[in-house]
Amino acid sequence: MSRGRRIFTIVLVAVLVAAGYGGYRWWHERPPYGPEVLEFAATAEQLPPGDGPEIEHHGVKVLVPEGGAAVGGRITWRPPTGRGSDWDEDGWFMIFVVDKRVDLMPPQVWGTSPSGHEVSSGGDGVQNRIAEKYPWLRGAGDIKTDESTWRDGGMALSMTPAAGGVDFVAIFPPIPNGDPERRFLAAAPVTLSDLMIAVAFVGPDRQVYWAERVYG
């Protein structure tokens, strides 16, 4: 084989490999459905502290610290047809409550699904890719403390798309001005107009399919 023909063959193989990888990436990251088919609806309300430290909102019981604030919410959607509830096969939803004033989340968000599906509270490293892909949702990601150090912030909720809905309570503690924690956590006082609620769809291989603002 001549040198020119050999170079042409190598280039052709490289092009085919790149095209194949690009096609795989497109197929792998293509969502099985979009947010428009789910018909999201969301409500939120400021919860009074009540006579004691414990309050309840649609079955979610929480303790509110003195001077803190609590917001209760409900998100509903049409469960996707033909999909199960296996997170490893069907992916999962992450729900973020973000204080838009500071792009931070509260340290505590607890939820339950009326359908009985598991609702998990916590965080996941995939949040950083969500925040990178959707700048308007940068409050979902870690907070940079210096050139090479990052720290996680508040809490998010995770559940199967098959759940069809979630009730939750977000707790905003009374962090004083000047306290270093105010750099990482949303704190009281807070009003409903300060908040944004978003849903992100994460695939079974931790692909970030899409994110949708459902409130605020």
Side-chain angles (χ1 to χ4, degrees), residues 40-53:
F40 281 109
T43 58
E45 60 180 293
Q46 199 99 36
L47 301 180
D51 297 327

Side-chain angles (χ1 to χ4, degrees), residues 93-138:
F93 285 170
M94 295 195 75
I95 293 178
F96 306 100
V97 180
V98 178
D99 185 339
K100 296 181 292 186
R101 299 171 298 175
V102 289
D103 282 325
L104 295 173
M105 297 185 295
Q108 296 182 58
V109 183
W110 307 106
T112 184
S113 174
S115 61
H117 286 85
E118 176 188 2
V119 178
S120 175
S121 297
D124 190 283
V126 75
Q127 293 173 218
N128 291 321
R129 285 192 280 120
I130 294 171
E132 182 179 356
K133 186 173 183 178
Y134 299 97
W136 57 267
L137 193 45
R138 57 185 173 272

Side-chain angles (χ1 to χ4, degrees), residues 80 82-92 117-118 159-163:
R83 299 282 167 174
S85 58
D86 188 331
W87 294 29
D88 293 329
E89 293 185 3
D90 303 294
W92 70 94
H117 286 85
E118 176 188 2
M159 71 217 64
T160 170

Side-chain angles (χ1 to χ4, degrees), residues 151 175-176 178-185:
R151 207 196 95 165
I175 304 176
D179 189 316
E181 288 299 294
R182 286 192 73 95
R183 184 178 175 185
F184 307 105
L185 300 171

Side-chain angles (χ1 to χ4, degrees), residues 47 62 64 69-73 97 106 108-110 168-172 190 195:
L47 301 180
V62 296
V64 183
V71 171
V97 180
Q108 296 182 58
V109 183
W110 307 106
F168 67 86
V169 176
I171 304 297
F172 298 82
V190 65
L195 301 181

Side-chain angles (χ1 to χ4, degrees), residues 5 22 24 30 37 42 50 55 63 84 107 117 124 130 157 165 190 200 202:
R5 190 176 182 85
Y24 167 77
R30 182 170 61 96
V37 306
I55 61 174
L63 295 174
H117 286 85
D124 190 283
I130 294 171
L157 296 176
V190 65
V202 180

